[in-house]
Amino acid sequence: MFRLCNKYIFYTSCSKCKITSNVCLNLVFHKSTLSAQNKKQKLEKNICKFHYDALDIFTNTLILKNITKWNTHKLSHTNELFKVKSDSIFKLCDDTDLLIKYLQQCVDGYSTVTESTLKHFMLTMAKHGQIDGLILIEKLNKKYNYSIKKSALQLNFAEAYWTNDNLDSMFNIFEEIYPTESTKINYVLEPIINTIVKSRGIASVIMVSKFVNSIVIKYDNYHPMCTLWKYFFLSDLYNDNLEAEKLLRQNKDLMKYIQYLVPIITNYSLKKHNVDCVRRLMVILLKYNQIEIYQWVLRSLFEYYYTLGNVGQCKEIMKHSIALNIPITKKHQSQLINMVLKNKQPQQINKEVTETIFKLMF
């Protein structure tokens, strides 16, 4: 049997008494396996007879990890991947080409891989967009009868397609598994749709629009469409704002779901001091007769200007609310009167006085 023996000697000193000691590690490299002859337990023996602390453990563990990484790197540059019986050497490996060779070796029956390691490899392949690697993982999952769900595999395929800018394949997968993985898909769609809208690519926008429409038609689920509408609406581009209006116009039930986004959009916009966005939102709410939520936005806008001490805008909001017969709270009315009267200590104003002042004011 082909055998190479390498001895590594590491010098270290005790962190307490400063006595220098050495640790000897013998690595034996067989054709079929790679092992540390002294094993991890020997590395973790006391460097100093009298002092043993957490730093010693950390140092010894780091030595073992670095040696493992070095040998993994060495294996990846050989012409032929040795028949490694254990998958532990690959756990720290991020070289997808090497991992694909190893997975193919497992498919061919020369090696085996545990389910936990296979799941780890699956995430690595998805992150790097390695479709071939995921196909091998799918085969091994069936071969060993592991419990990795098909939908979980499909989600990783979708991530790999996203990495490779293959939006069409990604959305096809999302559409197929949406009934079982809607929560996860809705979660990942947020950054994906945001990126697509910001990239301003016409083809990408067409694909995502087609996808959200399909989800509505097939599954009667408006969440992806609401997400798309939100990023169209929040966009700085006028054309994107028009697309948001178009979505509302073409989907009559969409407004029913968008109203739940209104508080989020309002608070986000006011924190950014983007009052124009809030005003556009109010126009849409009035257009679709969403009076209750419109009233909430109006109050939020009043509080925003009140915090800034902007008497003029607070008066305009109050005047606007009276004209539309959408009253704001008594608290806000008192706040406005105290601002106008420049009361240093805000006072509660009774109803009669409030009405009199408002008649004089407006």
Side-chain angles (χ1 to χ4, degrees):
M1 179 182 291
F2 180 68
R3 173 187 176 96
L4 285 176
C5 182
N6 295 303
K7 180 177 288 187
Y8 297 87
I9 299 176
F10 303 95
Y11 294 94
T12 185
S13 60
C14 177
S15 60
K16 299 183 182 294
C17 63
K18 307 300 180 183
I19 296 175
T20 303
S21 303
N22 64 74
V23 178
C24 181
L25 179 68
N26 289 321
L27 281 183
V28 178
F29 185 76
H30 299 268
K31 187 175 181 181
S32 59
T33 186
L34 176 69
S35 63
Q37 204 172 44
N38 287 46
K39 296 187 179 179
K40 189 177 178 180
Q41 288 81 357
K42 288 190 177 182
L43 273 178
E44 292 181 352
K45 284 185 178 179
N46 293 356
I47 292 174
C48 174
K49 184 176 180 181
F50 303 101
H51 298 108
Y52 183 73
D53 56 22
L55 183 60
D56 300 325
I57 300 173
F58 172 77
T59 304
N60 295 331
T61 305
L62 188 61
I63 289 169
L64 187 61
K65 282 186 176 181
N66 286 336
I67 292 170
T68 304
K69 283 184 178 180
W70 181 83
N71 281 285
T72 303
H73 180 72
K74 185 178 178 181
L75 275 174
S76 67
H77 288 81
T78 57
N79 293 327
E80 181 182 354
L81 186 66
F82 291 102
K83 307 297 185 291
V84 182
K85 292 181 179 178
S86 172
D87 58 19
S88 60
I89 190 172
F90 295 104
K91 286 184 178 178
L92 299 173
C93 180
D94 205 33
D95 186 338
T96 54
D97 292 333
L98 174 62
L99 293 181
I100 288 174
K101 288 181 183 179
Y102 176 65
L103 290 171
Q104 184 61 58
Q105 187 173 284
C106 293
V107 170
D108 295 338
Y110 295 111
S111 302
T112 58
V113 59
T114 62
E115 183 174 351
S116 61
T117 305
L118 198 63
K119 289 179 179 178
H120 176 74
F121 290 169
M122 182 172 66
L123 298 176
T124 303
M125 294 298 174
K127 182 177 70 174
H128 292 280
Q130 288 286 1
I131 304 297
D132 292 340
L134 290 172
I135 291 172
L136 290 172
I137 289 171
E138 189 174 26
K139 289 180 180 179
L140 288 169
N141 187 49
K142 291 179 181 178
K143 178 180 178 180
Y144 297 127
N145 197 26
Y146 285 154
S147 60
I148 301 175
K149 292 182 179 179
K150 182 181 177 181
S151 58
L153 263 168
Q154 291 296 92
L155 281 172
N156 282 276
F157 271 108
E159 183 182 348
Y161 284 127
W162 168 253
T163 304
N164 294 326
D165 295 326
N166 189 341
L167 300 185
D168 191 44
S169 296
M170 179 191 70
F171 284 131
N172 286 337
I173 290 175
F174 282 164
E175 187 175 333
E176 180 185 346
I177 64 173
Y178 194 83
T180 56
E181 298 290 348
S182 59
T183 303
K184 291 180 181 178
I185 292 173
N186 289 337
Y187 178 77
V188 300
L189 275 175
E190 282 279 339
I192 288 174
I193 292 178
N194 186 23
T195 302
I196 289 174
V197 172
K198 283 185 176 179
S199 68
R200 299 168 184 174
I202 297 175
S204 303
V205 170
I206 290 173
M207 278 189 278
V208 71
S209 299
K210 179 183 174 183
F211 166 72
V212 299
N213 276 298
S214 296
I215 296 300
V216 169
I217 294 169
K218 284 187 176 182
Y219 309 117
D220 194 31
N221 191 305
Y222 282 84
H223 192 283
M225 186 175 285
C226 286
T227 303
L228 180 60
W229 177 88
K230 179 177 71 174
Y231 288 112
F232 274 150
F233 180 80
L234 290 173
S235 174
D236 296 330
L237 290 181
Y238 179 67
N239 286 340
D240 288 342
N241 300 156
L242 291 178
E243 288 295 325
E245 291 182 20
K246 183 179 176 181
L247 279 175
L248 279 172
R249 192 168 59 252
Q250 293 179 346
N251 300 273
K252 295 180 180 179
D253 292 333
L254 181 59
M255 190 68 232
K256 183 170 60 177
Y257 299 95
I258 282 176
Q259 63 178 325
Y260 299 107
L261 291 174
V262 170
I264 298 171
I265 294 174
T266 302
N267 291 330
Y268 172 81
S269 300
L270 291 179
K271 282 181 181 179
K272 297 286 186 179
H273 303 289
N274 190 354
V275 178
D276 179 64
C277 185
V278 178
R279 294 187 187 279
R280 287 193 292 110
L281 186 60
M282 292 169 70
V283 170
I284 291 173
L285 292 173
L286 275 182
K287 182 178 179 180
Y288 289 90
N289 200 31
Q290 301 294 316
I291 303 301
E292 186 176 347
I293 193 70
Y294 178 89
Q295 189 177 32
W296 185 91
V297 176
L298 196 65
R299 292 171 181 175
S300 298
L301 192 59
F302 180 92
E303 289 173 1
Y304 169 77
Y305 281 122
Y306 177 77
T307 304
L308 295 177
N310 193 326
V311 181
Q313 289 296 335
C314 287
K315 287 173 67 176
E316 285 297 318
I317 291 172
M318 187 66 69
K319 183 178 179 180
H320 179 72
S321 70
I322 293 172
L324 292 177
N325 195 25
I326 305 176
I328 58 176
T329 63
K330 292 181 180 179
K331 174 189 172 183
H332 294 138
Q333 293 173 356
S334 297
Q335 285 175 335
L336 176 58
I337 293 172
N338 282 304
M339 285 179 72
V340 173
L341 298 178
K342 297 182 180 179
N343 291 331
K344 293 183 179 180
Q345 293 184 349
Q347 301 175 10
Q348 187 67 34
I349 313 296
N350 62 46
K351 185 178 179 181
E352 291 76 13
V353 174
T354 299
E355 289 178 354
T356 303
I357 293 174
F358 282 175
K359 284 180 181 179
L360 294 171
M361 193 181 298
F362 305 121

